[in-house]
Amino acid sequence: MSLELSRNHAEEQARAGWLGLLVIVALGINLRPILTSIGPLLAEIREATGLGFQGASLLTVLPVLCMGLFALALPWIGPRLGEGRGMAFGLLAIAAACLWRLLLDSGVALVLSAVLAGSGVAIIQALVPGVIKRWFPHKVPAAMGLYSAALMAGGGCAAVLAPMVAEHSGHWQDGLGIWLLPALLGLSLWGLARPREAGALARAQSGGHFFASRRAWLLAVYFGLINGGYTSMVAWLPVSYRQLGWSAQASGELIGLMTIFQVLAALSMPMLIRRSADRRPWLCLVLLIQLAGFAGLLLAPLHLPGLWVALIGYGLGACFALSLTLTLDHLSDPGAAGRLAAFVQGIGFIITGIIPYLTGWLRDVTGDFQVSWVLLAVFVVAMLGVTLRFAPSGYARAMES
């Protein structure tokens, strides 16, 4: 079995190459439009459907919770579903949800479409880290950075283009449903380029869970809280600026600006960290950058808003890529590292799904988003302290406890 697994592993790496990177990019692009296309059109959606702020928050909360729950179930459903079918099912679910959004006219249907799309996203992003670890074992930070950049670029494009499409067509549904097209493209590329699955490889991907590991839980909570600002920004940043008098297009462009800096961070971090296995200095730096952005958003939202959003975007983009890389660093075996990443994303996305609900509730209670931004800043400060615990020399010992 070990010889077969080694042979399959070597063949996969040889086949991956640039085509494998293209597949990773195509998968990443499809994982955020279902979230980011909502915010710039939320005023129109609420007027047409009658959703309140807390009800509208479910359009972000429920997909992210699906991401978490499906990732946690991966050790059980992964071996039965299989990598190839899992990726195909995930892309089909996203495509079906976008098609549904072209036709729907009620808040309930919109929420249900969010659950369907979130389920598809959940399966894909639970599988991708293990695929990266297996396809690019010696280039994990670079491949993870490219995947993160594609993921964020897809989200940013959706935030900018969704209101443009809706304005051109006269229907907000079109701004949400147009993302059917990249899902179908991703499905075609995956069907064309994915490696053949082998029995030994499928068995290697299956295995135990990490519910009893204290380090796995710490990584999961850490992932959830340092990335929690993203879901809140996607859900509420355009809304907050529309309340300050901005148009749907201008407020959506803030998410686009945030995305540009997320992509820059995701692409630049692998080059910056390549000479060091210790991720802590870089994580502390990008958390401080996040903190500066939230402070500016809190204290002077109309003074240099582009700067605050750029800082938040760079900090969030780097944190996503670095936190997943940090997780994969803890285990050398690709199968085990993939399962750990699925667990970390599972718990982490449940946390990031709850955060925009909390920030939306705080807005309902207080009437503005100031307290919400304070909460996000507090999370960042707390995670600065946690970062210091991730010394590379302690990875093996921590995973044994």
Side-chain angles (χ1 to χ4, degrees):
M1 181 184 298
S2 60
L3 288 175
E4 182 187 353
L5 181 58
S6 299
R7 185 168 58 252
N8 288 330
H9 191 188
E11 289 175 358
E12 274 196 302
Q13 291 178 45
R15 281 198 300 267
W18 289 105
L19 186 58
L21 289 174
L22 181 61
V23 172
I24 294 297
V25 168
L27 292 171
I29 285 173
N30 279 286
L31 301 185
R32 290 298 177 268
I34 64 157
L35 299 177
T36 58
S37 59
I38 295 289
L41 297 172
L42 191 57
E44 290 79 5
I45 291 170
R46 291 184 63 232
E47 181 179 357
T49 63
L51 287 172
F53 278 104
Q54 282 188 283
S57 72
L58 294 177
L59 301 176
T60 301
V61 171
L62 290 178
V64 177
L65 288 179
C66 288
M67 296 176 200
L69 294 172
F70 272 77
L72 289 177
L74 188 64
W76 294 276
I77 67 174
R80 295 174 176 83
L81 187 61
E83 185 180 276
R85 289 192 301 274
M87 290 291 193
F89 179 83
L91 289 164
L92 282 171
I94 295 171
C98 292
L99 178 61
W100 193 3
R101 287 180 169 188
L102 286 171
L103 307 173
L104 57 79
D105 60 0
S106 73
V108 173
L110 185 57
V111 170
L112 291 176
S113 75
V115 173
L116 176 60
S119 301
V121 171
I123 294 171
I124 294 170
Q125 68 185 19
L127 292 171
V128 166
V131 171
I132 288 175
K133 183 81 170 180
R134 197 170 68 253
W135 286 4
F136 308 101
H138 306 298
K139 299 179 180 179
V140 169
M144 188 61 71
L146 187 63
Y147 163 67
S148 301
L151 183 150
M152 295 158 192
C157 288
V160 174
L161 295 178
M164 295 174 62
V165 172
E167 182 178 2
H168 179 73
S169 70
H171 302 284
W172 57 265
Q173 293 94 333
D174 294 342
L176 305 184
I178 191 68
W179 309 107
L180 165 70
L181 299 178
L184 294 177
L185 176 61
L187 184 63
S188 300
L189 284 172
W190 177 256
L192 175 68
R194 71 176 178 86
R196 296 185 301 272
E197 293 183 49
L201 180 58
R203 287 190 291 273
Q205 288 181 311
S206 64
H209 55 73
F210 289 90
F211 283 95
S213 170
R214 286 180 292 177
R215 174 51 64 94
W217 277 97
L218 181 63
L219 286 166
V221 172
Y222 184 76
F223 177 87
L225 291 180
I226 69 170
N227 292 301
Y230 176 77
T231 47
S232 288
M233 290 296 99
V234 167
W236 305 126
L237 182 65
V239 178
S240 70
Y241 275 90
R242 291 200 73 174
Q243 289 185 342
L244 294 173
W246 289 35
S247 67
Q249 185 63 46
S251 63
E253 287 172 355
L254 284 177
I255 298 295
L257 177 64
M258 185 178 81
T259 300
I260 291 172
F261 282 88
Q262 284 180 293
V263 171
L264 289 174
L267 293 176
S268 63
M269 273 298 120
M271 293 183 288
L272 295 172
I273 69 174
R274 69 183 185 276
R275 297 184 184 276
S276 174
D278 191 347
R279 315 302 183 193
R280 292 175 297 174
W282 298 105
L283 281 162
C284 286
L285 174 62
V286 296
L287 281 168
L288 288 171
I289 290 173
Q290 261 199 66
L291 185 61
F294 285 126
L297 206 60
L298 175 65
L299 299 174
L302 292 176
H303 183 66
L304 299 176
L307 175 61
W308 313 138
V309 171
L311 289 171
I312 292 170
Y314 193 90
L316 287 169
C319 280
F320 182 84
L322 280 173
S323 58
L324 276 180
T325 302
L326 173 73
T327 298
L328 294 174
D329 286 344
H330 273 70
L331 293 168
S332 59
D333 176 69
R339 294 194 302 274
L340 176 62
F343 176 84
V344 166
Q345 289 184 94
I347 300 297
F349 278 120
I350 290 174
I351 294 170
T352 60
I354 292 171
I355 289 174
Y357 189 81
L358 289 176
T359 50
W361 174 76
L362 287 171
R363 188 268 167 215
D364 275 346
V365 170
T366 64
D368 60 39
F369 286 97
Q370 296 296 89
V371 179
S372 302
W373 307 153
V374 169
L375 179 65
L376 296 177
V378 168
F379 288 152
V380 171
V381 171
M383 292 305 99
L384 277 167
V386 175
T387 301
L388 302 178
R389 299 190 58 180
F390 297 125
S393 60
Y395 289 166
R397 184 173 64 254
M399 291 308 300
E400 292 172 357
S401 63

mmCIF file of all heavy atoms in Angstrom, residues 133-175:
data_model
loop_
_atom_site.group_PDB
_atom_site.id
_atom_site.type_symbol
_atom_site.label_atom_id
_atom_site.label_comp_id
_atom_site.label_asym_id
_atom_site.label_seq_id
_atom_site.Cartn_x
_atom_site.Cartn_y
_atom_site.Cartn_z
ATOM 1 N N LYS A 133 -1.570 20.562 -0.212
ATOM 2 C CA LYS A 133 -0.478 19.898 0.505
ATOM 3 C C LYS A 133 0.036 18.704 -0.291
ATOM 4 O O LYS A 133 1.229 18.406 -0.281
ATOM 5 C CB LYS A 133 -0.974 19.446 1.881
ATOM 6 C CG LYS A 133 0.072 18.791 2.772
ATOM 7 C CD LYS A 133 0.937 19.793 3.461
ATOM 8 C CE LYS A 133 1.805 19.146 4.526
ATOM 9 N NZ LYS A 133 2.679 20.108 5.222
ATOM 10 N N ARG A 134 -0.856 18.024 -1.009
ATOM 11 C CA ARG A 134 -0.470 16.831 -1.764
ATOM 12 C C ARG A 134 0.128 17.190 -3.123
ATOM 13 O O ARG A 134 1.117 16.594 -3.555
ATOM 14 C CB ARG A 134 -1.690 15.929 -1.939
ATOM 15 C CG ARG A 134 -1.361 14.495 -2.336
ATOM 16 C CD ARG A 134 -2.577 13.596 -2.267
ATOM 17 N NE ARG A 134 -3.574 13.931 -3.277
ATOM 18 C CZ ARG A 134 -4.729 14.528 -3.012
ATOM 19 N NH1 ARG A 134 -5.031 14.870 -1.776
ATOM 20 N NH2 ARG A 134 -5.593 14.784 -3.981
ATOM 21 N N TRP A 135 -0.459 18.166 -3.811
ATOM 22 C CA TRP A 135 0.020 18.525 -5.138
ATOM 23 C C TRP A 135 1.321 19.330 -5.086
ATOM 24 O O TRP A 135 2.163 19.216 -5.965
ATOM 25 C CB TRP A 135 -1.026 19.365 -5.877
ATOM 26 C CG TRP A 135 -2.207 18.592 -6.378
ATOM 27 C CD1 TRP A 135 -2.474 17.265 -6.184
ATOM 28 C CD2 TRP A 135 -3.292 19.112 -7.158
ATOM 29 N NE1 TRP A 135 -3.667 16.934 -6.782
ATOM 30 C CE2 TRP A 135 -4.192 18.051 -7.396
ATOM 31 C CE3 TRP A 135 -3.593 20.366 -7.661
ATOM 32 C CZ2 TRP A 135 -5.356 18.205 -8.119
ATOM 33 C CZ3 TRP A 135 -4.764 20.530 -8.388
ATOM 34 C CH2 TRP A 135 -5.636 19.466 -8.617
ATOM 35 N N PHE A 136 1.444 20.192 -4.071
ATOM 36 C CA PHE A 136 2.591 21.106 -3.994
ATOM 37 C C PHE A 136 3.265 21.029 -2.624
ATOM 38 O O PHE A 136 3.308 22.025 -1.889
ATOM 39 C CB PHE A 136 2.124 22.548 -4.281
ATOM 40 C CG PHE A 136 1.343 22.693 -5.554
ATOM 41 C CD1 PHE A 136 -0.045 22.783 -5.523
ATOM 42 C CD2 PHE A 136 1.982 22.717 -6.785
ATOM 43 C CE1 PHE A 136 -0.779 22.912 -6.697
ATOM 44 C CE2 PHE A 136 1.257 22.836 -7.958
ATOM 45 C CZ PHE A 136 -0.121 22.934 -7.926
ATOM 46 N N PRO A 137 3.786 19.870 -2.239
ATOM 47 C CA PRO A 137 4.316 19.684 -0.879
ATOM 48 C C PRO A 137 5.481 20.599 -0.536
ATOM 49 O O PRO A 137 5.689 20.913 0.646
ATOM 50 C CB PRO A 137 4.736 18.210 -0.866
ATOM 51 C CG PRO A 137 4.973 17.867 -2.304
ATOM 52 C CD PRO A 137 3.964 18.659 -3.060
ATOM 53 N N HIS A 138 6.234 21.035 -1.532
ATOM 54 C CA HIS A 138 7.391 21.893 -1.275
ATOM 55 C C HIS A 138 7.106 23.372 -1.565
ATOM 56 O O HIS A 138 7.999 24.202 -1.438
ATOM 57 C CB HIS A 138 8.589 21.428 -2.121
ATOM 58 C CG HIS A 138 8.919 19.979 -1.927
ATOM 59 N ND1 HIS A 138 9.300 19.462 -0.699
ATOM 60 C CD2 HIS A 138 8.904 18.924 -2.780
ATOM 61 C CE1 HIS A 138 9.517 18.161 -0.813
ATOM 62 N NE2 HIS A 138 9.274 17.810 -2.064
ATOM 63 N N LYS A 139 5.880 23.665 -1.944
ATOM 64 C CA LYS A 139 5.495 25.043 -2.267
ATOM 65 C C LYS A 139 4.151 25.387 -1.634
ATOM 66 O O LYS A 139 3.342 26.096 -2.229
ATOM 67 C CB LYS A 139 5.432 25.233 -3.781
ATOM 68 C CG LYS A 139 6.759 24.992 -4.502
ATOM 69 C CD LYS A 139 6.611 25.164 -6.006
ATOM 70 C CE LYS A 139 7.925 24.919 -6.727
ATOM 71 N NZ LYS A 139 7.790 25.056 -8.198
ATOM 72 N N VAL A 140 3.930 24.882 -0.426
ATOM 73 C CA VAL A 140 2.633 25.091 0.222
ATOM 74 C C VAL A 140 2.326 26.571 0.416
ATOM 75 O O VAL A 140 1.221 27.031 0.076
ATOM 76 C CB VAL A 140 2.552 24.317 1.556
ATOM 77 C CG1 VAL A 140 1.333 24.753 2.357
ATOM 78 C CG2 VAL A 140 2.484 22.822 1.291
ATOM 79 N N PRO A 141 3.248 27.403 0.978
ATOM 80 C CA PRO A 141 2.899 28.817 1.163
ATOM 81 C C PRO A 141 2.547 29.522 -0.140
ATOM 82 O O PRO A 141 1.593 30.308 -0.189
ATOM 83 C CB PRO A 141 4.164 29.411 1.799
ATOM 84 C CG PRO A 141 4.833 28.254 2.467
ATOM 85 C CD PRO A 141 4.571 27.097 1.552
ATOM 86 N N ALA A 142 3.306 29.239 -1.213
ATOM 87 C CA ALA A 142 3.033 29.898 -2.490
ATOM 88 C C ALA A 142 1.683 29.460 -3.065
ATOM 89 O O ALA A 142 0.896 30.293 -3.540
ATOM 90 C CB ALA A 142 4.151 29.596 -3.485
ATOM 91 N N ALA A 143 1.407 28.154 -3.037
ATOM 92 C CA ALA A 143 0.134 27.662 -3.556
ATOM 93 C C ALA A 143 -1.036 28.145 -2.711
ATOM 94 O O ALA A 143 -2.096 28.511 -3.235
ATOM 95 C CB ALA A 143 0.144 26.132 -3.626
ATOM 96 N N MET A 144 -0.835 28.171 -1.385
ATOM 97 C CA MET A 144 -1.890 28.662 -0.509
ATOM 98 C C MET A 144 -2.116 30.154 -0.726
ATOM 99 O O MET A 144 -3.263 30.634 -0.682
ATOM 100 C CB MET A 144 -1.532 28.388 0.950
ATOM 101 C CG MET A 144 -2.648 28.693 1.933
ATOM 102 S SD MET A 144 -4.143 27.711 1.636
ATOM 103 C CE MET A 144 -3.585 26.087 2.151
ATOM 104 N N GLY A 145 -1.041 30.894 -0.973
ATOM 105 C CA GLY A 145 -1.190 32.319 -1.252
ATOM 106 C C GLY A 145 -1.957 32.559 -2.540
ATOM 107 O O GLY A 145 -2.809 33.452 -2.615
ATOM 108 N N LEU A 146 -1.672 31.775 -3.574
ATOM 109 C CA LEU A 146 -2.381 31.919 -4.843
ATOM 110 C C LEU A 146 -3.858 31.570 -4.680
ATOM 111 O O LEU A 146 -4.743 32.268 -5.212
ATOM 112 C CB LEU A 146 -1.740 31.028 -5.897
ATOM 113 C CG LEU A 146 -2.270 31.181 -7.325
ATOM 114 C CD1 LEU A 146 -2.001 32.585 -7.854
ATOM 115 C CD2 LEU A 146 -1.634 30.141 -8.243
ATOM 116 N N TYR A 147 -4.144 30.496 -3.957
ATOM 117 C CA TYR A 147 -5.531 30.111 -3.684
ATOM 118 C C TYR A 147 -6.254 31.216 -2.914
ATOM 119 O O TYR A 147 -7.386 31.597 -3.251
ATOM 120 C CB TYR A 147 -5.540 28.806 -2.892
ATOM 121 C CG TYR A 147 -6.829 28.476 -2.189
ATOM 122 C CD1 TYR A 147 -7.987 28.175 -2.900
ATOM 123 C CD2 TYR A 147 -6.892 28.452 -0.792
ATOM 124 C CE1 TYR A 147 -9.173 27.867 -2.250
ATOM 125 C CE2 TYR A 147 -8.069 28.142 -0.133
ATOM 126 C CZ TYR A 147 -9.204 27.854 -0.862
ATOM 127 O OH TYR A 147 -10.365 27.555 -0.201
ATOM 128 N N SER A 148 -5.593 31.748 -1.879
ATOM 129 C CA SER A 148 -6.202 32.814 -1.078
ATOM 130 C C SER A 148 -6.456 34.049 -1.930
ATOM 131 O O SER A 148 -7.501 34.697 -1.814
ATOM 132 C CB SER A 148 -5.289 33.167 0.108
ATOM 133 O OG SER A 148 -5.058 32.044 0.923
ATOM 134 N N ALA A 149 -5.488 34.390 -2.799
ATOM 135 C CA ALA A 149 -5.656 35.551 -3.665
ATOM 136 C C ALA A 149 -6.837 35.359 -4.611
ATOM 137 O O ALA A 149 -7.630 36.288 -4.840
ATOM 138 C CB ALA A 149 -4.369 35.793 -4.455
ATOM 139 N N ALA A 150 -6.976 34.154 -5.188
ATOM 140 C CA ALA A 150 -8.100 33.881 -6.083
ATOM 141 C C ALA A 150 -9.425 33.967 -5.342
ATOM 142 O O ALA A 150 -10.413 34.523 -5.847
ATOM 143 C CB ALA A 150 -7.932 32.496 -6.712
ATOM 144 N N LEU A 151 -9.457 33.415 -4.143
ATOM 145 C CA LEU A 151 -10.667 33.444 -3.329
ATOM 146 C C LEU A 151 -11.104 34.878 -3.067
ATOM 147 O O LEU A 151 -12.274 35.241 -3.224
ATOM 148 C CB LEU A 151 -10.394 32.683 -2.031
ATOM 149 C CG LEU A 151 -11.513 32.504 -1.020
ATOM 150 C CD1 LEU A 151 -11.305 31.187 -0.263
ATOM 151 C CD2 LEU A 151 -11.526 33.646 -0.016
ATOM 152 N N MET A 152 -10.132 35.715 -2.682
ATOM 153 C CA MET A 152 -10.454 37.102 -2.352
ATOM 154 C C MET A 152 -10.771 37.924 -3.593
ATOM 155 O O MET A 152 -11.650 38.788 -3.572
ATOM 156 C CB MET A 152 -9.290 37.708 -1.580
ATOM 157 C CG MET A 152 -9.078 37.042 -0.230
ATOM 158 S SD MET A 152 -7.400 37.299 0.382
ATOM 159 C CE MET A 152 -7.381 36.110 1.734
ATOM 160 N N ALA A 153 -10.070 37.626 -4.698
ATOM 161 C CA ALA A 153 -10.352 38.341 -5.942
ATOM 162 C C ALA A 153 -11.765 38.055 -6.427
ATOM 163 O O ALA A 153 -12.472 38.964 -6.896
ATOM 164 C CB ALA A 153 -9.330 37.949 -7.011
ATOM 165 N N GLY A 154 -12.191 36.798 -6.321
ATOM 166 C CA GLY A 154 -13.559 36.462 -6.688
ATOM 167 C C GLY A 154 -14.571 37.230 -5.865
ATOM 168 O O GLY A 154 -15.574 37.748 -6.390
ATOM 169 N N GLY A 155 -14.307 37.329 -4.556
ATOM 170 C CA GLY A 155 -15.204 38.072 -3.689
ATOM 171 C C GLY A 155 -15.233 39.549 -4.020
ATOM 172 O O GLY A 155 -16.300 40.181 -4.057
ATOM 173 N N GLY A 156 -14.073 40.142 -4.277
ATOM 174 C CA GLY A 156 -14.013 41.560 -4.593
ATOM 175 C C GLY A 156 -14.683 41.891 -5.916
ATOM 176 O O GLY A 156 -15.402 42.892 -6.031
ATOM 177 N N CYS A 157 -14.454 41.071 -6.920
ATOM 178 C CA CYS A 157 -15.105 41.289 -8.227
ATOM 179 C C CYS A 157 -16.625 41.240 -8.094
ATOM 180 O O CYS A 157 -17.340 42.050 -8.703
ATOM 181 C CB CYS A 157 -14.632 40.240 -9.231
ATOM 182 S SG CYS A 157 -12.929 40.468 -9.792
ATOM 183 N N ALA A 158 -17.107 40.314 -7.286
ATOM 184 C CA ALA A 158 -18.556 40.209 -7.099
ATOM 185 C C ALA A 158 -19.118 41.454 -6.431
ATOM 186 O O ALA A 158 -20.201 41.944 -6.805
ATOM 187 C CB ALA A 158 -18.883 38.966 -6.273
ATOM 188 N N ALA A 159 -18.392 41.989 -5.438
ATOM 189 C CA ALA A 159 -18.877 43.184 -4.737
ATOM 190 C C ALA A 159 -18.954 44.383 -5.672
ATOM 191 O O ALA A 159 -19.875 45.204 -5.581
ATOM 192 C CB ALA A 159 -17.958 43.492 -3.554
ATOM 193 N N VAL A 160 -17.980 44.494 -6.582
ATOM 194 C CA VAL A 160 -17.950 45.631 -7.502
ATOM 195 C C VAL A 160 -18.933 45.443 -8.658
ATOM 196 O O VAL A 160 -19.638 46.382 -9.059
ATOM 197 C CB VAL A 160 -16.518 45.838 -8.046
ATOM 198 C CG1 VAL A 160 -16.505 46.914 -9.123
ATOM 199 C CG2 VAL A 160 -15.576 46.222 -6.907
ATOM 200 N N LEU A 161 -18.996 44.231 -9.206
ATOM 201 C CA LEU A 161 -19.782 44.002 -10.421
ATOM 202 C C LEU A 161 -21.263 43.758 -10.148
ATOM 203 O O LEU A 161 -22.100 44.034 -11.012
ATOM 204 C CB LEU A 161 -19.202 42.819 -11.197
ATOM 205 C CG LEU A 161 -17.784 43.020 -11.748
ATOM 206 C CD1 LEU A 161 -17.301 41.762 -12.453
ATOM 207 C CD2 LEU A 161 -17.743 44.215 -12.690
ATOM 208 N N ALA A 162 -21.607 43.198 -8.975
ATOM 209 C CA ALA A 162 -23.015 42.885 -8.702
ATOM 210 C C ALA A 162 -23.926 44.100 -8.841
ATOM 211 O O ALA A 162 -24.958 44.025 -9.532
ATOM 212 C CB ALA A 162 -23.160 42.245 -7.322
ATOM 213 N N PRO A 163 -23.605 45.266 -8.226
ATOM 214 C CA PRO A 163 -24.500 46.420 -8.415
ATOM 215 C C PRO A 163 -24.502 46.949 -9.847
ATOM 216 O O PRO A 163 -25.516 47.468 -10.317
ATOM 217 C CB PRO A 163 -23.950 47.459 -7.431
ATOM 218 C CG PRO A 163 -22.549 47.042 -7.145
ATOM 219 C CD PRO A 163 -22.542 45.552 -7.252
ATOM 220 N N MET A 164 -23.375 46.781 -10.571
ATOM 221 C CA MET A 164 -23.331 47.219 -11.961
ATOM 222 C C MET A 164 -24.254 46.367 -12.823
ATOM 223 O O MET A 164 -25.008 46.890 -13.658
ATOM 224 C CB MET A 164 -21.889 47.142 -12.489
ATOM 225 C CG MET A 164 -20.931 48.092 -11.799
ATOM 226 S SD MET A 164 -19.212 47.854 -12.313
ATOM 227 C CE MET A 164 -19.312 48.244 -14.055
ATOM 228 N N VAL A 165 -24.215 45.053 -12.603
ATOM 229 C CA VAL A 165 -25.094 44.151 -13.346
ATOM 230 C C VAL A 165 -26.554 44.441 -13.012
ATOM 231 O O VAL A 165 -27.423 44.487 -13.901
ATOM 232 C CB VAL A 165 -24.741 42.676 -13.034
ATOM 233 C CG1 VAL A 165 -25.779 41.722 -13.633
ATOM 234 C CG2 VAL A 165 -23.347 42.336 -13.557
ATOM 235 N N ALA A 166 -26.839 44.626 -11.716
ATOM 236 C CA ALA A 166 -28.216 44.892 -11.294
ATOM 237 C C ALA A 166 -28.739 46.197 -11.882
ATOM 238 O O ALA A 166 -29.891 46.282 -12.330
ATOM 239 C CB ALA A 166 -28.280 44.925 -9.765
ATOM 240 N N GLU A 167 -27.886 47.224 -11.890
ATOM 241 C CA GLU A 167 -28.315 48.513 -12.444
ATOM 242 C C GLU A 167 -28.548 48.407 -13.945
ATOM 243 O O GLU A 167 -29.518 48.980 -14.478
ATOM 244 C CB GLU A 167 -27.250 49.573 -12.150
ATOM 245 C CG GLU A 167 -27.632 50.970 -12.644
ATOM 246 C CD GLU A 167 -26.581 52.012 -12.302
ATOM 247 O OE1 GLU A 167 -25.537 51.641 -11.720
ATOM 248 O OE2 GLU A 167 -26.812 53.200 -12.628
ATOM 249 N N HIS A 168 -27.697 47.678 -14.629
ATOM 250 C CA HIS A 168 -27.834 47.541 -16.081
ATOM 251 C C HIS A 168 -29.110 46.781 -16.458
ATOM 252 O O HIS A 168 -29.804 47.140 -17.415
ATOM 253 C CB HIS A 168 -26.619 46.826 -16.649
ATOM 254 C CG HIS A 168 -26.661 46.621 -18.131
ATOM 255 N ND1 HIS A 168 -26.476 47.651 -19.037
ATOM 256 C CD2 HIS A 168 -26.901 45.497 -18.880
ATOM 257 C CE1 HIS A 168 -26.586 47.176 -20.262
ATOM 258 N NE2 HIS A 168 -26.850 45.884 -20.209
ATOM 259 N N SER A 169 -29.413 45.731 -15.687
ATOM 260 C CA SER A 169 -30.578 44.898 -16.016
ATOM 261 C C SER A 169 -31.871 45.408 -15.399
ATOM 262 O O SER A 169 -32.965 45.073 -15.866
ATOM 263 C CB SER A 169 -30.341 43.457 -15.551
ATOM 264 O OG SER A 169 -30.365 43.388 -14.135
ATOM 265 N N GLY A 170 -31.726 46.185 -14.316
ATOM 266 C CA GLY A 170 -32.908 46.652 -13.606
ATOM 267 C C GLY A 170 -33.443 45.672 -12.583
ATOM 268 O O GLY A 170 -34.506 45.925 -11.990
ATOM 269 N N HIS A 171 -32.733 44.576 -12.334
ATOM 270 C CA HIS A 171 -33.183 43.551 -11.382
ATOM 271 C C HIS A 171 -32.034 43.172 -10.448
ATOM 272 O O HIS A 171 -30.969 42.744 -10.933
ATOM 273 C CB HIS A 171 -33.679 42.302 -12.114
ATOM 274 C CG HIS A 171 -34.803 42.558 -13.070
ATOM 275 N ND1 HIS A 171 -36.098 42.769 -12.656
ATOM 276 C CD2 HIS A 171 -34.816 42.657 -14.427
ATOM 277 C CE1 HIS A 171 -36.870 42.964 -13.712
ATOM 278 N NE2 HIS A 171 -36.115 42.911 -14.798
ATOM 279 N N TRP A 172 -32.256 43.311 -9.138
ATOM 280 C CA TRP A 172 -31.180 42.972 -8.193
ATOM 281 C C TRP A 172 -30.849 41.484 -8.251
ATOM 282 O O TRP A 172 -29.723 41.072 -7.954
ATOM 283 C CB TRP A 172 -31.552 43.389 -6.777
ATOM 284 C CG TRP A 172 -32.840 42.811 -6.227
ATOM 285 C CD1 TRP A 172 -34.062 43.400 -6.252
ATOM 286 C CD2 TRP A 172 -33.011 41.547 -5.579
ATOM 287 N NE1 TRP A 172 -34.998 42.590 -5.654
ATOM 288 C CE2 TRP A 172 -34.378 41.440 -5.224
ATOM 289 C CE3 TRP A 172 -32.152 40.502 -5.251
ATOM 290 C CZ2 TRP A 172 -34.900 40.324 -4.568
ATOM 291 C CZ3 TRP A 172 -32.659 39.391 -4.589
ATOM 292 C CH2 TRP A 172 -34.024 39.303 -4.263
ATOM 293 N N GLN A 173 -31.824 40.654 -8.648
ATOM 294 C CA GLN A 173 -31.563 39.204 -8.739
ATOM 295 C C GLN A 173 -30.430 38.887 -9.716
ATOM 296 O O GLN A 173 -29.664 37.947 -9.498
ATOM 297 C CB GLN A 173 -32.831 38.458 -9.170
ATOM 298 C CG GLN A 173 -33.953 38.477 -8.144
ATOM 299 C CD GLN A 173 -34.938 39.599 -8.381
ATOM 300 O OE1 GLN A 173 -34.573 40.640 -8.946
ATOM 301 N NE2 GLN A 173 -36.182 39.410 -7.968
ATOM 302 N N ASP A 174 -30.314 39.685 -10.777
ATOM 303 C CA ASP A 174 -29.272 39.420 -11.774
ATOM 304 C C ASP A 174 -27.878 39.656 -11.193
ATOM 305 O O ASP A 174 -26.917 38.970 -11.569
ATOM 306 C CB ASP A 174 -29.478 40.303 -13.002
ATOM 307 C CG ASP A 174 -30.760 39.959 -13.752
ATOM 308 O OD1 ASP A 174 -31.285 38.852 -13.541
ATOM 309 O OD2 ASP A 174 -31.230 40.805 -14.533
ATOM 310 N N GLY A 175 -27.775 40.633 -10.284
ATOM 311 C CA GLY A 175 -26.492 40.891 -9.640
ATOM 312 C C GLY A 175 -26.036 39.754 -8.754
ATOM 313 O O GLY A 175 -24.829 39.576 -8.514
#
